[in-house]
């Protein structure tokens, strides 16, 4: 852990800098994969599956039999946990639904917005070391709540063509039946352009490795919507003298176990707190199966001592963390200072892992400082809002002067004429 | 106008296809401009201003004197029109504000979302033939309503270093004081990376030419948020036997005058309507100052006859127009069929130009079929929504089992430990 004591604001950029997230070095490879899948469809997907993952399949779509089998392979404990998490996530996201409100901006001019689901969405669920069925909950629940009519999931299978049963069970519970055994950049390509048996989608969600991230960036540039740009997972913790150092250490480690590139930042109000947390870290690290990964991430992590709470939150907002834990009994006093963060955890009993799984908030969040401009995934991510306006005869008369004058001032005569022709018609009617 | 009578669904893709919006041919040029401005700041901006626009300035920022002068140069008519438009746009966007709702997903687990303004935003206002002060209203009003603390505007000046006074007057009225006389890709670069006198921003808004669009795509790939991908402006009109053909013609022309690449699509319930509209078009075209541009756009436009209303809206949704006018006395009966559109205009007295200027809805809308996944600009575009959770001792106990089981099933032991350590602490306290 690198410790910075009372750094001046001029030192902040160095302290909060993240490793470069550039994918320039793999962009050519990913561009080629995208073009190949766009032109050659499933046969290109097969080729890259064999090449990169050593996987060769007859059928790329999960069958009814596989869904059925998955039910027997998932323990009751896990099933119950998925049920509870699903209930909480559903509650929180249901509250994000909006009703239509009609605003009469001028007499006779009614305007409103209507929320309409994005018809076709693609969810990417990474494979690899951890079978992230929680990611499927976090993307699948708002997608189904929003009413997206066509939801496809891509996730890599193992060498035997199997997908982790907890992922299949979760999909089944959510009513998502189109699961495609494809991973990597070719999965993003398949969702963006469509392949035999799977339509192209309008928006792609989900985390992934650098190839997946790069592919999402590239199809995003072409106009396929994506959830958000991605980077390694992060936590920042603000800890004052009312924190419980063992809890803070456990929270830092739960981020650190994600990978050696995990970003971990501790901001404490005095050096004693940092010392206590370091001691707790040493004890807890010893007991972790993923000790190797976590200890490297912790070694690269940063602890900053800033006694002044304005300075502390100034630094935290400049960092704009994905997750921010406020480990303090006074968390509600300082929470108004948070400007940039993905999701915030208040007090000593709100660990990040609560939000990762089951508090109800979404765990798909902006990393890499993107919380300065981006929100995490929510129900909003799966809908668009269409505006409507309806002008009565009185309404068009009431704003006709305004529109004509502005259109003329912008040199757009046909715009003015579209109003004027209606006014003449109404005048002739009289 | 190309007429298609009762085309089968297999012919739709050809009918609704848009010209390719690829910017591949200029990507290298724009990439070079971006890098140059990133490294060399204002001096690079100056260089490109001289090279592309023949503009050489001492001071790139609008001065107090210029703001003052603009007040005298704008007519009272235009000032009043700006006032009315501003009032309506403000009313409609204010209604988009959200209050915080705390959801207790499980006893002791409180979750909520809070709307927080994006601190630094950049608005691009194109110059060129039309001085689009309406665009500044449409971007500046929600930006100020949202509470963005740092709003910068880039807009190209003329050869004498002047900006259209209506644009300056609008900025002044909105309280936006940072106006930078830069256009083109170098303006997007200046906002994305910052230059002397202007900070880098987190999100960039506004329409522009191909260079501006390409620059927005490229900085977007790097993680600077952008409002939406852009393409030429479009209108689709559904007209049945209750439309007023002269109004439809006027609306088609108001789109067509934007440029020869404007997209205009008419869907009518019978051929007689199309014939009537064509006659009205011929008459009105003659009277337009921008006749040349408009007649070319109309020549390339398409009229589709589909008697069946399901088919008609099927085609319109597949096209996903930026603007959709429902020119019918029965507009409210069919409006539920709209799935993909940016903004919808209902009935015979709701021309697109009403929404372009003054009905209150935003005119920055998704083109090129992007309304399948994107919304137009709204108050939402200038904020992010941060999620919060606060667990009480009871709360963490209530979801501890769920989190531990899920974390273990995903192989993330430190995640489970962050919960378990708190439960042990609480058990010891008892």
């Amino acid at each position: 852990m690198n410790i910075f004591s009372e750094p001046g604001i001029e030192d902040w950029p160095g302290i909060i800098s993240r490793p470069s997230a550039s994918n320039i070095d793999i962009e050519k490879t990913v561009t080629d994969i995208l073009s190949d899948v766009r032109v050659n469809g499933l046969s290109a997907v097969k080729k890259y599956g064999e090449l990169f993952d050593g996987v060769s399949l007859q059928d790329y779509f999960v069958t009814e039999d596989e869904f059925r089998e998955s039910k027997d392979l998932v323990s009751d404990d896990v099933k119950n946990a998925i049920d509870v998490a699903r209930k909480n996530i559903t509650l929180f996201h249901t509250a994000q639904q909006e009703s239509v409100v009609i605003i009469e901006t001028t007499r006779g001019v009614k305007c409103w917005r209507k929320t309409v689901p994005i018809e076709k969405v693609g969810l990417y669920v990474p494979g690899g070391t951890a079978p992230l069925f929680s990611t499927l909950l976090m993307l699948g629940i708002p997608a189904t709540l929003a009413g997206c009519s066509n939801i496809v999931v891509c996730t890599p299978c193992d060498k035997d063509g199997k997908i982790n049963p907890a992922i299949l069970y979760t999909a089944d519970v959510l009513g998502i039946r189109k699961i495609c055994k494809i991973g990597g950049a070719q999965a993003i390509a398949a969702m963006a352009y469509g392949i035999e048996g799977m339509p192209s989608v309008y928006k792609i969600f989900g985390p992934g490795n650098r190839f997946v991230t790069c592919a999402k960036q590239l199809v995003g540039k072409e106009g396929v919507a994506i959830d958000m740009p991605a980077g390694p997972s992060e936590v920042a913790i603000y800890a004052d003298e009312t924190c419980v150092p063992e809890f803070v250490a456990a929270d830092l480690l739960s981020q650190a176990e994600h990978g050696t590139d995990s970003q971990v930042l501790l901001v404490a109000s005095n050096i004693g707190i940092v010392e206590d947390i370091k001691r707790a870290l040493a004890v807890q690290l010893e007991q972790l199966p993923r000790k190797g990964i976590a200890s490297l991430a912790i070694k690269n992590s940063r602890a900053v001592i800033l006694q002044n709470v304005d300075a502390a939150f100034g630094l935290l907002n400049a960092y704009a963390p994905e997750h921010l834990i406020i480990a303090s009994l006074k968390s509600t006093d300082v929470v108004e200072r948070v400007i940039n963060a993905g999701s915030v955890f208040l007090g000593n009993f709100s660990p990040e892992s609560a939000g990762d799984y089951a508090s109800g908030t979404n765990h798909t969040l902006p990393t890499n400082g993107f919380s300065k401009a981006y929100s995490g995934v929510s129900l909003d991510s799966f809908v668009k809002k269409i505006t409507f306006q309806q002008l009565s005869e009185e309404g068009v008369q009431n704003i006709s002067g305004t529109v004509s004058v502005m259109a003329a001032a912008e040199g757009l005569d046909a715009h003015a004429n579209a109003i004027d022709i209606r006014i003449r018609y109404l005048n002739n009617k009289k």
Side-chain angles (χ1 to χ4, degrees), chain A:
Chain A
M1 205 170 228
N2 306 292
I3 300 182
F4 304 87
S5 187
E6 299 294 345
I9 198 167
E10 66 284 1
D11 296 323
W12 290 5
I15 295 171
I16 61 173
S17 73
R18 293 165 167 94
S20 160
S22 169
N23 289 319
I24 286 289
D25 54 323
I26 58 170
E27 200 168 297
K28 172 76 175 69
T29 308
V30 174
T31 302
D32 290 346
I33 295 171
L34 293 178
S35 320
D36 198 357
V37 174
R38 189 202 269 269
V39 175
N40 299 309
L42 190 55
S43 71
V45 167
K46 284 189 186 202
K47 184 175 78 185
Y48 294 111
E50 287 167 17
L51 189 65
F52 297 138
D53 308 317
V55 172
S56 183
L57 302 178
Q58 282 299 317
D59 191 353
Y60 278 78
F61 295 98
V62 171
T63 62
E64 285 304 314
D65 281 347
E66 289 177 285
F67 277 117
R68 217 173 300 121
E69 280 165 32
S70 73
K71 282 186 197 155
D72 300 328
L73 294 170
V74 177
S75 74
D76 285 344
D77 271 0
V78 171
K79 283 179 184 167
N80 289 337
I82 288 173
D83 268 0
V84 173
R86 185 180 153 223
K87 193 204 93 208
N88 288 352
I89 299 163
T90 301
L91 266 174
F92 187 64
H93 288 74
T94 301
Q96 293 163 10
Q97 282 167 341
E98 269 179 39
S99 49
V100 171
V101 181
I102 297 176
I103 309 291
E104 192 163 10
T105 56
T106 290
R107 217 178 141 84
V109 180
K110 291 185 180 162
C111 301
W112 64 95
R113 282 208 300 179
K114 189 182 155 192
T115 298
V116 179
I118 299 172
E119 282 182 281
K120 299 191 241 178
V121 297
L123 316 181
Y124 186 79
V125 177
T129 50
L132 299 181
F133 58 92
S134 61
T135 297
L136 185 51
L137 282 170
M138 293 294 177
L139 300 176
I141 290 173
T144 51
L145 267 183
C148 301
S149 50
N150 213 325
I151 304 171
V152 302
V153 172
C154 280
T155 191
C157 57
D158 66 16
K159 296 263 190 298
D160 302 322
K162 296 285 176 202
I163 290 173
N164 184 284
I167 292 178
L168 293 189
Y169 176 78
T170 303
D172 197 43
V173 164
L174 298 179
I176 298 173
R177 310 293 294 180
K178 194 74 156 185
I179 315 277
C180 194
K181 300 174 180 177
I182 313 179
Q186 61 271 27
I188 304 305
M191 292 193 278
Y193 309 128
I195 52 169
E196 297 89 315
M198 192 171 81
S200 63
V201 302
Y202 304 143
K203 189 165 183 177
I204 296 174
F205 297 79
N209 63 20
R210 291 178 67 223
F211 288 86
V212 168
T213 299
C214 181
K216 282 174 67 186
Q217 285 174 332
L218 291 172
V219 301
K221 193 160 72 71
E222 294 170 11
V224 178
I226 62 171
D227 47 359
M228 69 189 81
S233 193
E234 317 161 338
V235 73
I237 303 186
Y238 173 76
D240 70 11
E241 61 288 351
T242 62
C243 79
V244 181
E246 290 75 19
F247 296 177
V248 176
D251 293 339
L252 289 170
L253 288 173
S254 78
Q255 189 57 58
E257 77 174 336
H258 273 305
T260 53
D261 59 352
S262 279
Q263 297 293 302
V264 171
L265 175 69
L266 171 65
V267 177
S269 56
N270 70 59
I271 181 75
I273 300 165
V274 176
E275 295 300 339
D276 290 345
I277 292 167
K278 276 181 70 179
R279 266 189 295 275
L281 274 173
V283 174
Q284 292 178 29
L285 249 179
E286 284 309 311
Q287 296 152 4
L288 272 190
R290 287 186 176 225
K291 181 181 161 185
I293 290 171
S295 63
L296 250 177
I298 291 292
K299 195 169 158 237
N300 294 327
S301 72
R302 290 145 294 176
V304 183
I305 294 142
L306 284 167
Q307 209 192 329
N308 181 290
V309 70
D310 285 335
F313 280 85
L315 180 83
L316 287 164
N317 284 321
Y319 182 61
E322 180 189 15
H323 305 95
L324 172 63
I325 300 175
I326 303 183
S328 163
L329 293 177
K330 294 169 282 188
S331 63
T332 43
D333 297 342
V334 293
V335 68
E336 288 302 316
R337 296 168 186 270
V338 178
I339 294 174
N340 299 321
S343 194
V344 183
F345 300 77
L346 296 175
N348 290 328
F349 293 97
S350 306
E352 185 201 312
S353 54
D356 287 340
Y357 292 111
S359 65
T361 62
N362 207 290
H363 81 194
T364 309
L365 296 165
T367 54
N368 203 34
F370 296 135
S371 65
K372 289 173 183 166
Y374 287 89
S375 311
V377 162
S378 71
L379 196 63
D380 301 340
S381 313
F382 294 89
V383 301
K384 57 253 167 58
K385 293 176 186 178
I386 304 177
T387 54
F388 293 82
Q389 49 251 287
Q390 186 166 31
L391 282 70
S392 65
E393 296 183 3
E394 185 188 358
V396 74
Q397 282 169 319
N398 281 339
I399 64 167
S400 62
T402 300
V403 175
S404 289
V405 166
M406 291 177 73
E410 290 194 346
L412 295 171
D413 300 85
H415 282 60
N417 187 53
I419 288 284
D420 297 342
I421 199 169
R422 284 163 166 96
I423 300 301
R424 284 199 300 275
Y425 175 96
L426 290 172
N427 288 341
N428 287 338
K429 240 181 65 173
K430 279 177 194 161

